[in-house]
Amino acid sequence: MTHWFHRNPLKATAPVSFNYYGVASGPPASKICNDIRSSRARLLELFTDLSCNPEMMKSAADSYFSLLQGFINSLDESTQESKLRYIQNFKWTDTLQGQVPSAQQDAVFELISMGFNVALWYTKYASRLAGKENITEDEAKEVHRSLKVAAGIFKHLKESHIPKLITPAEKGRDLETRLIDTYIIQCQAEAQEVTIARAIELKHAPGLIAALAYETANFYQKADHTLSSLEPAYSAKWRKYLHLKMCFYTAYAYCYHGQTLLASDKCGEAIRSLQEAEKFYAKAEALCKDYGETKGPGPTVKPSGHLFFRKLGNLVKNTLEKCQRENGFIYFQKIPAEAPQLELKANYGLVEPVPFEFPPTSAHWTPETLAAFDLTKRPKDDNTKPKPEEEVKPVKEPDIKPQKDTGCYIS
């Protein structure tokens, strides 16, 4: 599988002790505090553990989120919130905006932020797996599924939890609509790249491949447009990636559409379609250079040197030469001045996010456990108030280098 995906950094967070001296009394409350502290630390460790797989991630995430739910929801399943929702301040950085964190004294903010990082982990896991040499069919399916799972998590956060925040997300931060929408669309587009690679490998009809490539290019164009109103200082590199992938898959669409036209004896139109593919490939090549030279979050690489990129260039060149030869010997058709309109609709292979739900509240939360937290005993000099100017240490992500000739770069 010869894919290359842009990845923004993981979100970083300040340590949380869950020590509520005077407030939490008795063994059940102490046990809950110990368990949630250790399960949070374990989940954070797994984000950078190269041996972690989706099963391990789901188990650790469910363990933490089920305990955190006791800080958010009432135990009687009413619409009331837990009395503990605002007891703890949480600090999280954003994927684009450096190490100055956002801070909210709200367990819902923690649920969303940690969930966001779980989704990012799935995208990075997919990217890492796609970089293996001789990737198996099962591994390709896991790449595909991981990207759909990530999209489902982002979508669930946007629709069901971000609206519950008391303090709305600031502009340009991860939890605001433009960014989370872009992450959802990018996951769908990258999963469709896997579908396209599979369709090519199995020699599916060029018409289907062209339609899938066209739909994927449209996804990337939509994602790029979604980021267009963000500050270029921190969105430029990401946008270069989205734009080059749009041009790249538009070139794919014109290339395979040209093959369909040739099979229908429309050689002149096929040549014009391949010429358009050449044009978009050249645009993508120029954007690859721009991407490598643009500063901002994400890896510093030269995408045009990767196999996934070079293969398309050869395919466009060879297909165009074939069409020109056949037109010179057989068809003698006029080449249209205008490129054919791509009005392609894929009936198969389109990606939808995998539905996601957080786990229910842990059984360790009982009315007796909750009663053991007495908020009237909170110290008056409460030092948990937000300190947004305080820096949080960045996550030390493993430095994964692409294996030989995979054409992938894993951030």
Side-chain angles (χ1 to χ4, degrees):
M1 184 179 296
T2 55
H3 295 297
W4 162 75
F5 302 134
H6 168 95
R7 292 290 176 258
N8 292 324
L10 285 166
K11 294 165 74 68
T13 183
V16 180
S17 67
F18 294 100
N19 287 330
Y20 306 116
Y21 300 114
V23 175
S25 59
S30 297
K31 181 174 182 353
I32 282 281
C33 290
N34 287 334
D35 287 352
I36 195 167
R37 179 171 58 249
S38 61
S39 65
R40 187 181 197 262
R42 171 62 179 154
L43 183 53
L44 291 172
E45 283 173 7
L46 285 182
F47 288 144
T48 55
D49 183 348
L50 292 181
S51 66
C52 182
N53 59 40
E55 291 72 29
M56 294 165 65
M57 177 53 62
K58 185 178 188 311
S59 174
D62 284 355
S63 173
Y64 178 60
F65 290 136
S66 66
L67 289 167
L68 186 63
Q69 295 279 29
F71 282 76
I72 297 171
N73 301 315
S74 64
L75 298 182
D76 60 4
E77 298 185 355
S78 71
T79 55
Q80 287 186 321
E81 62 192 25
S82 168
K83 67 181 183 180
L84 303 177
R85 175 173 170 180
Y86 306 105
I87 195 174
Q88 178 68 54
N89 186 51
F90 297 96
K91 298 188 185 78
W92 283 89
T93 63
D94 290 271
T95 55
L96 297 184
Q97 296 215 21
Q99 296 309 310
V100 178
S102 300
Q104 290 195 33
Q105 195 148 327
D106 187 347
V108 171
F109 178 67
E110 167 73 359
L111 182 82
I112 295 165
S113 300
M114 190 68 85
F116 198 102
N117 244 20
V118 171
L120 287 177
W121 178 87
Y122 274 100
T123 70
K124 287 171 180 272
Y125 174 76
S127 191
R128 187 164 73 242
L129 195 58
K132 287 181 65 177
E133 284 190 75
N134 304 318
I135 186 169
T136 66
E137 182 180 338
D138 286 343
E139 287 168 335
K141 287 179 181 176
E142 195 159 359
V143 172
H144 194 253
R145 177 166 176 79
S146 294
L147 291 165
K148 293 195 295 180
V149 167
I153 297 172
F154 287 129
K155 188 170 186 281
H156 182 65
L157 295 176
K158 177 196 171 185
E159 294 175 352
S160 302
H161 297 281
I162 291 175
K164 295 177 184 175
L165 286 172
I166 303 300
T167 306
E170 299 170 50
K171 287 187 176 181
R173 298 287 187 174
D174 286 339
L175 307 188
E176 73 123 311
T177 304
R178 290 174 297 179
L179 270 83
I180 205 155
D181 277 347
T182 304
Y183 277 113
I184 294 168
I185 299 164
Q186 181 178 336
C187 287
Q188 290 178 275
E190 289 176 348
Q192 282 189 192
E193 289 192 47
V194 181
T195 304
I196 292 167
R198 182 71 176 156
I200 292 169
E201 186 183 341
L202 295 178
K203 296 182 169 55
H204 279 295
L208 172 62
I209 297 168
L212 282 170
Y214 181 62
E215 302 265 19
T216 304
N218 286 341
F219 265 137
Y220 279 118
Q221 186 174 37
K222 184 179 176 184
D224 179 45
H225 180 72
T226 304
L227 289 182
S228 62
S229 56
L230 281 181
E231 180 61 46
Y234 53 82
S235 65
K237 194 175 187 74
W238 196 5
R239 288 195 64 199
K240 293 285 186 195
Y241 167 77
L242 298 170
H243 193 189
L244 81 84
K245 281 289 184 87
M246 185 276 286
C247 290
F248 183 78
Y249 279 97
T250 303
Y252 247 121
Y254 274 113
C255 180
Y256 277 92
H257 186 55
Q259 292 184 25
T260 304
L261 291 168
L262 180 62
S264 304
D265 296 327
K266 297 177 181 177
C267 196
E269 290 179 44
I271 290 172
R272 187 64 188 85
S273 190
L274 267 299
Q275 287 172 341
E276 201 68 7
E278 236 181 5
K279 185 175 88 176
F280 274 95
Y281 183 78
K283 281 185 183 178
E285 196 164 34
L287 284 162
C288 282
K289 185 181 178 186
D290 289 349
Y291 175 87
E293 294 172 352
T294 302
K295 292 180 179 178
T300 303
V301 292
K302 293 181 178 176
S304 57
H306 289 294
L307 185 59
F308 93 98
F309 195 86
R310 299 197 310 270
K311 279 177 75 175
L312 175 60
N314 292 332
L315 180 65
V316 171
K317 179 175 176 287
N318 294 338
T319 310
L320 178 57
E321 287 176 355
K322 178 186 175 184
C323 290
Q324 288 169 332
R325 277 197 311 271
E326 298 208 4
N327 201 45
F329 280 107
I330 304 168
Y331 295 102
F332 305 104
Q333 291 176 1
K334 186 178 178 182
I335 299 165
E338 295 293 321
Q341 290 296 309
L342 290 179
E343 295 175 351
L344 307 171
K345 189 73 182 168
N347 296 317
Y348 308 98
L350 295 178
V351 168
E352 288 296 328
V354 171
F356 174 82
E357 293 283 342
F358 283 108
T361 306
S362 167
H364 292 297
W365 280 104
T366 64
E368 293 73 26
T369 306
L370 190 61
F373 289 85
D374 186 352
L375 296 184
T376 64
K377 295 181 179 178
R378 292 176 78 178
K380 290 180 181 177
D381 182 22
D382 192 348
N383 61 2
T384 62
K385 290 180 181 175
K387 298 175 184 175
E389 73 283 350
E390 186 179 324
E391 286 211 341
V392 172
K393 291 180 181 177
V395 179
K396 290 185 178 177
E397 300 191 47
D399 180 22
I400 304 296
K401 293 182 180 177
Q403 298 189 40
K404 184 180 178 183
D405 263 335
T406 64
C408 302
Y409 180 90
I410 315 304
S411 60

